[in-house]
Structure formats: C-alpha cells, structure tokens
Amino acid sequence: DAGITQSPRYKITETGRQVTLMCHQTWSHSYMFWYRQDLGHGLRLIYYSAAADITDKGEVPDGYVVSRSKTENFPLTLESATRSQTSVYFCASKRRRGRELFFGEGSRLTVL
Amino acid sequence: TQLLEQSPQFLSIQEGENLTVYCNSSSVFSSLQWYRQEPGEGPVLLVTVVTGGEVKKLKRLTFQFGDARKDSSLHITAAQPGDTGLYLCAGVAGANNLFFGTGTRLTVIP
C-alpha cells in the first residue's frame, strides 16, 4: 500500500544543473499536483495535471517543467536550478470528483 | 493569487489549554479545508467545510466556516502534545484551485 511516493527525499545540487523530482501514485487518481513549501509562503502550486498528457500552470511555474505520460507518474524537472528554488517540494494527488489532496512525504532540494 | 492569512503564525501552549487559530481572506471560497502537517511528512486533511456558518467537530477540534465563506477558525479544546504540528487552511476556488494559507505552527508542551 504505497500510496504516493516521492524520490529522492533529499537532494543537493549546484546552480545551473538539471534536477528531476519523481512522483508516483498507486491510486489511479486523475489529478496530480506539485507544490513548493517555503517559510512564510505556505504551499504554492507549481503545476498540476488533470489526466495523462494534460498539464497546466499553477501560481509559480517559472523555471519548472512537468510531464505526465502515464497516469501514475508526474515528474517535476528544474531545467537549470537556481538558489531560489531551494525548497521542500510536495507532490499530491486527488480523485476526479474528490476534494481531498493526498500528499507525498516531500523532497527537500538544496541548490548551492 | 488569493491570499489566505493565518494567525497566529506560531503558538506555544501548555497541555490542557484551549486555543484558536484563524484563517482570513478577502476572497470567497466554495469550501475550505484544514490540514495538519507533521515534521518530515506531507499535510493530511482534517476537515472540509462547505456551507457558510458551518461548524464541524472532530473530537477536541472544532472547525467553523465564516458566514460569508471568506474565513475560518479552528478551536482546540484541552490541547495535547499529539496536537503539535503545522496547521494549514486551504481555500477551494474551483475544481483545481486550492490556495493554502501561510500556516500556524503549534507546539503543545507536556
């Protein structure tokens, strides 16, 4: 009963490098989301996806790329990491008609 | 961006005390959710309130949605150390638009 899993849990990288955070869910939920959590800002939506091959921007999409070729996976890529992207990233999923978000345990990214 | 402000930002109380956390916005939401997050984990849903003026109880936790559906409160009676965590409100403004508040970090001291 894995639910929703994120990897890696911790990542340290350098400015300018490409980083991909993985998210996998076993519930076949239609919707998947990527949030970043920063002190004083709460959770801010980066991108979301309503179904495979359907993605849309959230509040803070700049510098991020997502894809969703399969319903269960929703990777988030930082094409050229910057220090301002140091954060804790949370993936979440939701049933099509549900209200509740189910979150992963988070990926802590540090960009040096 | 629909801003949701929570107060207080930090709260440290003794076991057995009561407390109230507030979530305020100038925007109207179709519903409002409260999540609790523990260190190293993702947020977990506590409750969803839908109707203006609605009150929901979850054991020692009481949630209220404002009449105008712009604000909400969370009241905890006789707080216990297990209540320690980050409490997040989230306003729902459409099928996929969930806006999170800035959070209230609660510490209950035994």
Side-chain angles (χ1 to χ4, degrees):
Chain A
D1 184 42
I4 184 165
T5 54
Q6 294 183 228
S7 62
R9 292 291 312 277
Y10 302 91
K11 176 75 176 178
I12 299 174
T13 191
E14 294 178 337
T15 301
R17 291 193 181 267
Q18 183 178 80
V19 176
T20 296
L21 306 179
M22 304 300 294
C23 179
H24 176 78
Q25 53 112 350
T26 60
W27 294 308
S28 299
H29 285 173
S30 297
Y31 286 93
M32 295 188 76
F33 305 81
W34 274 107
Y35 287 88
R36 60 177 290 174
Q37 186 172 37
D38 305 286
L39 204 60
H41 289 280
L43 284 158
R44 291 181 292 175
L45 181 64
I46 304 170
Y47 269 96
Y48 70 95
S49 168
D53 297 322
I54 301 175
T55 62
D56 210 344
K57 294 179 180 179
E59 182 185 352
V60 289
D62 293 344
Y64 302 95
V65 174
V66 293
S67 62
R68 194 160 177 214
S69 57
K70 293 184 178 180
T71 300
E72 60 267 30
N73 296 323
F74 191 39
L76 175 73
T77 297
L78 289 67
E79 293 191 305
S80 178
T82 65
R83 290 198 180 116
S84 65
Q85 291 177 310
T86 291
S87 186
V88 181
Y89 292 85
F90 285 96
C91 179
S93 68
K94 182 178 81 73
R95 296 184 186 92
R96 179 168 296 282
R97 298 190 188 280
R99 293 195 186 101
E100 180 178 2
L101 291 184
F102 295 86
F103 285 86
E105 294 181 311
S107 295
R108 182 176 293 275
L109 175 68
T110 301
V111 183
L112 301 176
Chain B
T1 300
Q2 296 172 288
L3 188 63
L4 275 158
E5 293 189 359
Q6 287 185 238
S7 61
Q9 190 175 358
F10 298 95
L11 188 55
S12 182
I13 62 171
Q14 294 289 330
E15 181 177 359
E17 291 183 351
N18 301 333
L19 67 114
T20 302
V21 175
Y22 299 93
C23 174
N24 295 300
S25 176
S26 57
S27 302
V28 176
F29 296 103
S30 59
S31 62
L32 196 135
Q33 299 179 334
W34 285 91
Y35 288 79
R36 181 168 68 202
Q37 184 179 12
E38 300 191 14
E41 299 182 7
V44 175
L45 181 68
L46 295 173
V47 76
T48 300
V49 284
V50 179
T51 307
E54 182 177 2
V55 176
K56 278 193 175 178
K57 292 192 175 184
L58 189 66
K59 296 183 181 178
R60 293 175 294 99
L61 279 60
T62 301
F63 304 86
Q64 183 162 10
F65 200 11
D67 291 341
R69 303 206 317 274
K70 293 182 180 181
D71 53 80
S72 181
S73 63
L74 158 60
H75 182 80
I76 301 179
T77 302
Q80 298 178 1
D83 296 326
T84 293
L86 178 67
Y87 289 82
L88 296 161
C89 66
V92 182
N96 309 305
N97 290 330
L98 196 67
F99 297 92
F100 281 87
T102 48
T104 294
R105 189 166 298 281
L106 172 65
T107 303
V108 181
I109 303 165

